[in-house]
Amino acid sequence: MRRLKVSGSEAVYHCMTRTVNGESLFGEVEKEVLRKMLHQVADFCGVQVLTYCIMGNHFHVLLRVPNRQSVGDAELMRRYRVLYPRPTKYQAASAVEMARQLAAGGEEAEAIRSKLLARMGDVSEYMKTVKQRFSVWFNRRHGRYGTLWSERFKSVLVEGKGNPLQTMAAYIDLNPVRAGLVSDPKDYRFCGYAEAVAGQVAAQRGLQFVWSGYVREAADALSQHRMLLFGKGSVPAKGVCIPREQAVQVLEQEQGKLPKTAVLRCRVRYFTDGAILGSQDFVQGFAGAWQAQKRRKYPPKALALQGADWGDLAVINPLRRQVFS
């Protein structure tokens, strides 16, 4: 699936990918290894994981790709070594030789810089590296070969502030609730919200960015995020956790509306297939680029989300199948 890229400036993407045939292949060990890789590769690529969720057959990650910045040789080598926390003798020797060539300068040094920098600050390179590295580990551990993932990956360009970013982060953190694994995402080990509640600094910083402009402290960001997850109060309000079948009937068949906290407990295709998610102005600002990429004859319009009080949220992709499930 081709994705819209924002060149040269900061962008936020929701990325999701699924195992081949949707098989549930990931147990506790696999999820833990993948969790570490998500953060490890983010450090290498110079991007920030705002939140994430790893399920038995897929994972979501909300990724902030900052403005392109110059990276010195010392930082290049630090990031390279991040990928190999327990290097083999060959990998250790390669790192030493790479550092020597960078120090020596010349064409070889420039080639090394170009090769490493090409893998940094790019959402596609990030996902490619995560998926390839995890596939190698998984296949070796389970004595299998061949593809592990069913598709390249899906992505949605997200407006990097306010309601769009906050709603997307909440949708990702509620994955284990939608799957019926827990009633509260803080009890699901493999999601960003649970890590933040447990005091993991990087996860807290992610939520602080999500709620920046509203609060400054990590505790306040957690409080605001929890209110979005559950509505007023610290536990699910009455009527929030209605059966999914009932929610879908109200939304799809009766063309009704539900509270946002209830709708977020359904699978909402806007957040995986909407292509661009944000305010009307934000989405419309990328309409031309999306039209050119898709080779559409007519320019698209920013389409308001249906089914709940989404505020100013809009998407660019005119979903023609059911939006909720």
Side-chain angles (χ1 to χ4, degrees):
M1 175 181 175
R2 296 183 66 192
R3 58 207 42 85
L4 188 63
K5 287 187 180 181
V6 179
S7 300
S9 58
E10 181 168 296
V12 174
Y13 296 90
H14 168 213
C15 302
M16 189 276 284
T17 194
R18 193 175 300 276
T19 59
V20 65
N21 295 325
E23 294 181 65
S24 187
L25 300 175
F26 305 154
E28 296 283 301
V29 173
E30 288 77 15
K31 291 176 183 177
E32 177 61 19
V33 170
L34 182 51
R35 182 193 71 81
K36 290 180 179 178
M37 285 188 181
L38 288 176
H39 293 294
Q40 190 181 62
V41 177
D43 191 4
F44 168 75
C45 289
V47 300
Q48 182 183 10
V49 174
L50 299 180
T51 195
Y52 75 94
C53 188
I54 301 172
M55 304 296 286
N57 64 355
H58 69 282
F59 73 85
H60 300 255
V61 60
L62 186 61
L63 202 66
R64 172 180 168 243
V65 182
N67 297 326
R68 287 275 185 177
Q69 298 176 342
S70 60
V71 181
D73 290 348
E75 176 64 7
L76 280 178
M77 290 308 306
R78 186 198 70 79
R79 292 190 188 183
Y80 178 78
R81 290 188 175 96
V82 160
L83 291 180
Y84 305 100
R86 297 178 181 176
T88 64
K89 289 184 178 180
Y90 173 78
Q91 290 166 346
S94 296
V96 170
E97 177 60 18
M98 191 180 297
R100 186 195 66 78
Q101 290 179 338
L102 286 173
E107 292 183 3
E108 289 184 350
E110 281 302 314
I112 291 172
R113 291 187 191 102
S114 296
K115 187 175 180 179
L116 289 176
L117 288 171
R119 299 175 62 189
M120 298 178 183
D122 184 278
V123 64
S124 294
E125 287 295 328
Y126 171 83
M127 290 295 290
K128 176 183 175 182
T129 302
V130 168
K131 293 174 68 174
Q132 285 183 344
R133 290 172 68 83
F134 184 76
S135 294
V136 170
W137 176 87
F138 185 90
N139 285 351
R140 185 183 295 130
R141 175 179 173 82
H142 293 279
R144 72 186 293 276
Y145 59 90
T147 184
L148 176 63
W149 307 102
S150 65
E151 56 196 7
R152 192 181 178 201
F153 68 92
K154 290 183 177 182
S155 74
V156 176
L157 175 65
V158 184
E159 187 169 4
K161 61 181 181 180
N163 182 36
L165 184 61
Q166 294 153 10
T167 304
M168 182 65 89
Y171 180 77
I172 292 170
D173 285 326
L174 283 167
N175 261 269
V177 176
R178 283 194 295 277
L181 300 178
V182 294
S183 60
D184 190 327
K186 73 176 177 58
D187 298 321
Y188 186 72
R189 179 180 172 188
F190 305 103
C191 75
Y193 176 68
E195 282 195 357
V197 170
Q200 210 273 348
V201 174
Q204 291 184 345
R205 287 175 179 167
L207 283 185
Q208 281 179 279
F209 182 88
V210 168
W211 288 94
S212 60
Y214 295 80
V215 297
R216 298 183 64 180
E217 301 298 326
D220 295 329
L222 280 167
S223 177
Q224 290 295 319
H225 199 60
R226 188 164 186 81
M227 188 171 292
L228 179 55
L229 294 173
F230 290 117
K232 294 182 179 179
S234 60
V235 295
K238 184 178 180 181
V240 167
C241 291
I242 65 175
R244 183 183 302 180
E245 294 77 11
Q246 181 181 343
V248 173
Q249 179 178 351
V250 171
L251 294 166
E252 296 282 8
Q253 298 177 23
E254 300 174 11
Q255 299 296 305
K257 286 190 176 185
L258 290 170
K260 184 192 287 189
T261 47
V263 178
L264 287 175
R265 282 156 175 76
C266 298
R267 179 174 177 265
V268 184
R269 289 182 56 234
Y270 291 130
F271 299 113
T272 55
D273 300 311
I276 308 169
L277 177 84
S279 64
Q280 292 275 342
D281 289 343
F282 176 85
V283 173
Q284 201 62 50
F286 289 97
W290 193 80
Q291 178 188 7
Q293 178 181 288
K294 296 293 183 179
R295 298 180 181 178
R296 299 290 178 89
K297 183 176 180 181
Y298 301 105
K301 295 181 179 179
L303 307 170
L305 272 60
Q306 303 296 313
D309 182 12
W310 296 111
D312 61 346
L313 291 189
V315 292
I316 199 74
N317 193 17
L319 304 175
R320 302 188 186 283
R321 293 181 288 131
Q322 288 185 329
V323 172
F324 306 98
S325 61

